[in-house]
Amino acid sequence: MHESIRHRLEDLLSAGSSVGGHSSPDGHLASCSECSSEVAVMQSQGVLLRSLRASEELEPPPGFYARVMQRIEEAGVRSVWTAFAESRFGVRLAYASLTIAIILGSYVVSAERRDGHLRGQTIVAQDVDYAAPVTGDLAHQRDAVLENIALRQQGTAR
Amino acid sequence: MSGLTATLPFPATTGGATRAKTRLDHRTTEEAALVRRVQAHDEIAFREVVERYQAKVFSIIYGILRNRNDAEDIAQQVFAKIYFSIGHFDFRSSLLTWIYKITVNECYDYLRKKRVRKLVYESDFSADETHRIVNSEPATDQAPSVDERLAQHDLILKLLSKISEEDRSLILLKEVEGHSVEELSEMTGMNENTIKVKLFRARQKLVKAAQRLEKGPLTPPSI
C-alpha cells in the first residue's frame, strides 16, 4: 500500500463505512488497483469487526457483585500450587522440568548400561575360603572335602 | 515505540503544533483516585469499579461470544482478575482500556479452552466460503442470513486470534467501540502516529490471515 493512502487509511475506512461503499474520491485510489483492492478488503473486514458490537448494552443479573466477591474469595484460598499450575508460565515450567528429567534419566541409564551395572548379574560377596588346606588324618580330610563340596553346592544353588 | 515508526514511517502530520496537545495524564483523573483506593484494598471502591464497568464488560463479552450464559461466568472472571492484578495497573492507559484488554483476553482464553473456534475454524469453511465472506461488499440492502452471520462471526474471531493481544484490543476499540485515532491515543497513552502504525499493521495481518485461510490446506482439490 502506498504511503499517502496508508497515512489516511483510518479516515478512508471510516468514510467508506459511513457511506457504505469502498469507492473514494481520492485520485490515487481510482488509479492504483493495489491500494484500492487492499482498502476494499480492509473495509470488508471493518464490517465484520463491527458485527462483534453488541446490539444493546447488557446489564448483568442481580447479585453479580456478590458472585464476583465469592469467586475472588474462592480464588484467594486456592493453594499456591493451583495458581502455579493454571498459569501459562507454570505449565511451561512443568513441561521444561519433565523434559530435563527425561533427558537426565536417559543419560544416567545409558551411562550405567555402558559401565555394565545394568546387566542383571548378581554379585555375591562370600567369605568362604575354598582353598583352605585340608590337613589331618584321612577321615578328617574326607570330612573336610565333603564339607567343601556341600558348601560349593549350596553356593551354586543360591 | 520509536522503532515502529522508524521501520514504517508515516509522513509528519501537518500542523504539528496544533496536534501537540497536552496528553491526558491518567494518574491525575478521578478514575485514577478510584483505582488507588482499590489498590489500597478499599472494597467499596472495588464495588464502584464493578458497578461502573459491569455493563460494558458484559456487552464486550456478549459481542464476542454471543452467549449470555457464558457472559456472566467470564465477566466474573474478568473482575476477579481485575481485583488481583490492579496492583500492577500503572496508569499509562485509561482504566477502561486496561479492562477492555483483560476482557478480550479472557474471551479468547475461554475460546481456546473450550475449543469453540474449532467448530468452524478448521473444518467448516471451504476456501470459497472464506473468499466470499472476506471479500463481500461492506454494505448491502439484503441482510445476511443467520447462518451467514454466524459464519462471519466465527471467521472474524478466527482472524482476530491470529494477531497479538495488543493489536486485537486496539482494533476492537477502533472498530467495535468506534473510538477515533485521537481518542485511542488518549486512552492508551500512545501518540497518534503510533496508533495509526499499529492499526495499519493489525489490519494487514488480518488481511494476510484471511488470504492464508483462502489458500490453506482446506482448499478442496480442483476438479
Side-chain angles (χ1 to χ4, degrees), chain A residues 3 6, chain B residues 1-10 193-194 197 201:
Chain A
E3 204 166 290
R6 198 191 305 161
Chain B
M1 216 71 77
S2 57
L4 275 175
T5 41
T7 50
L8 189 71
F10 271 85
N193 255 1
T194 308
V197 171
R201 287 189 169 179

Side-chain angles (χ1 to χ4, degrees), chain A residues 6-7 9-10 13 44-45 47 49-54 57-58 60-61 64-65 67 71-72 88, chain B residues 8 10 54-55 58-59 62-63 66 68 72-73 76-77 112 134 136 138 153 174-176 203 206:
Chain A
R6 198 191 305 161
H7 183 59
L9 182 65
E10 292 307 320
L13 294 176
S44 304
Q45 289 190 339
V47 174
L49 284 163
R50 284 189 288 279
S51 72
L52 298 179
R53 198 178 285 170
E57 185 115 307
L58 297 173
F64 176 69
Y65 176 73
R67 289 191 291 279
R71 182 172 281 220
I72 288 168
R88 270 191 208 169
Chain B
L8 189 71
F10 271 85
Q54 61 186 14
F58 255 74
S59 302
Y62 181 71
R66 300 279 161 190
R68 279 174 194 261
E72 162 142 15
D73 188 47
Q76 284 177 21
Q77 186 62 28
R112 223 181 342 261
V134 171
S136 60
H153 185 85
K174 174 77 175 59
E175 292 293 348
V176 178
R203 289 184 194 282
L206 288 177

